[in-house]
Amino acid sequence: MREAVFLRQNEAKWQQYANVPPASPDDLAARFVELTDDLAYAQTFYPNSPTARYLNDLAAKQHQAIYKNKSESTGRFASFWRTEFPLLVARHHTTLAWSLVLFLIFTGIGALSAAYDESFVRVVLGDDYVNRTLANIERGDPMAVYKGDSETSMFLAITLNNIYVSLLTYVLGVLGGLGTVWALFRNGVMLGSFQYFFFTKGVLLQSALTIWIHGTLEISAIVLAGGAGLVMGRSLLFPGTYSRQDSFRQGARDGLKLAIGLVPIFIVAGFLESFVTRHTEMPRALSLFIIGSSAAFIVWYFIIYPRQLQRRQAS
């Protein structure tokens, strides 16, 4: 291979390694292996060339970064939430944004479908749920469905189910992202038809002030889980300068970390749904405070903080 061709095929990758901080220690190690392979090739076929010298310098910097990381004494668990996970989120912001766009579109489809077909809500939510909710609305307590089970059993069931849905949404990304899109479609249509149903019954505000106490975190985490699946699907379809196998391996690893990183959010959402949402008589101001605090956390931890951290790491 001519040096110009070799340079053209790999220049974008090398610039990324030089300018974008690694998302994790695993990513740093993978970069070092890639660079040493490229360096060995350059030294074999283009000895004493500018390309070989550039790769030697870049590989040396990566090597120093590896041993610097090894000397860190901070807890691995704490550093994951403080640094590694937010940087990973920042690295895949565009893909996560696409997950949100798709989810909003599917939610709109669910609302429109419910508006044009009164039976659609029963198809999506089931006759039993709709009938019970209608009875609760007639009794003046539309959200009584959240008071049925004991707090502890409800918390365990909801949290485990949400974590399962999150991991399934990620795993379905192995189908080139199509399985993840289907999962986002199902959840979005369900949410849209669900909220429109309460709108038609004249209790939309009351339902929103109750449901979104836990739904702000829960729905946000589902959308982010969709982003994790799309990360894996994109790595399979668009490997870039990597081999398809290496690209998929990296995408699957990143997506899994994103999905696992959502577990604490599902735990808090499950706690809110089981122990707080059931208090439908709480003051409106308190409900708005919980919803607003949850939304502020999502925006800060998944948008603002990752970008700040990424800029800090690059400087």
Side-chain angles (χ1 to χ4, degrees), residues 1-11 14 41-42 45-55:
M1 183 189 303
R2 294 172 57 190
E3 183 178 359
V5 176
F6 178 68
L7 182 63
R8 185 168 61 250
Q9 289 181 349
N10 295 283
E11 186 175 15
W14 298 336
Y41 186 91
F45 295 99
Y46 326 116
N48 302 318
S49 68
T51 300
R53 289 194 296 271
Y54 172 77
L55 286 173

Side-chain angles (χ1 to χ4, degrees), residues 12-264:
K13 176 181 68 176
W14 298 336
Q15 290 179 351
Q16 178 188 1
Y17 290 175
N19 299 318
V20 180
S24 67
D26 288 339
D27 185 29
L28 178 60
R31 290 183 178 193
F32 181 69
V33 171
E34 287 272 349
L35 284 172
T36 52
D37 287 344
D38 292 343
L39 175 60
Y41 186 91
Q43 288 177 333
T44 300
F45 295 99
Y46 326 116
N48 302 318
S49 68
T51 300
R53 289 194 296 271
Y54 172 77
L55 286 173
N56 185 68
D57 292 341
L58 187 56
K61 291 179 181 178
Q62 298 291 317
H63 183 267
Q64 291 174 359
I66 289 175
Y67 280 91
K68 178 181 178 182
N69 282 353
K70 282 187 175 181
S71 64
E72 292 180 354
S73 58
T74 56
R76 180 71 176 84
F77 187 80
S79 66
F80 176 79
W81 302 107
R82 187 175 59 252
T83 305
E84 183 178 341
F85 184 70
L87 284 175
L88 187 62
V89 169
R91 181 179 175 185
H92 296 292
H93 259 167
T94 300
T95 304
L96 296 174
W98 273 112
S99 180
L100 175 60
V101 169
L102 289 173
F103 186 82
L104 292 175
I105 292 173
F106 298 148
T107 301
I109 291 173
L112 285 174
S113 300
Y116 284 98
D117 185 354
E118 293 183 359
S119 65
F120 184 76
V121 174
R122 292 184 176 272
V123 173
V124 174
L125 302 178
D127 287 329
D128 180 64
Y129 179 84
V130 172
N131 292 335
R132 280 192 296 148
T133 302
L134 288 173
N136 290 334
I137 292 174
E138 291 179 2
R139 289 197 297 267
D141 192 2
M143 300 292 101
V145 67
Y146 292 104
K147 303 176 180 179
D149 299 326
S150 68
E151 290 93 335
T152 303
S153 61
M154 188 175 178
F155 167 69
L156 292 174
I158 289 172
T159 302
L160 291 175
N161 179 71
N162 285 339
I163 293 173
Y164 166 76
V165 170
S166 170
L167 292 175
L168 178 63
T169 302
Y170 154 72
V171 169
L172 289 173
V174 75
L175 301 175
L178 294 177
T180 295
V181 172
W182 169 248
L184 289 171
F185 174 79
R186 290 183 69 251
N187 284 283
V189 167
M190 185 178 297
L191 175 64
S193 60
F194 180 72
Q195 291 285 240
Y196 189 83
F197 169 69
F198 286 107
F199 169 75
T200 60
K201 303 306 175 184
V203 292
L204 177 62
L205 179 60
Q206 184 178 352
S207 68
L209 289 174
T210 301
I211 294 166
W212 288 95
I213 287 174
H214 64 270
T216 304
L217 293 177
E218 182 178 282
I219 297 301
S220 298
I222 289 174
V223 172
L224 291 163
L230 293 179
V231 166
M232 179 164 63
R234 188 190 65 178
S235 70
L236 182 63
L237 296 176
F238 307 105
T241 58
Y242 294 97
S243 68
R244 195 173 301 277
Q245 182 179 2
D246 289 341
S247 175
F248 177 70
R249 186 184 298 113
Q250 182 63 48
R253 185 187 300 119
D254 285 357
L256 180 59
K257 288 181 178 179
L258 287 170
I260 291 176
L262 300 174
V263 170

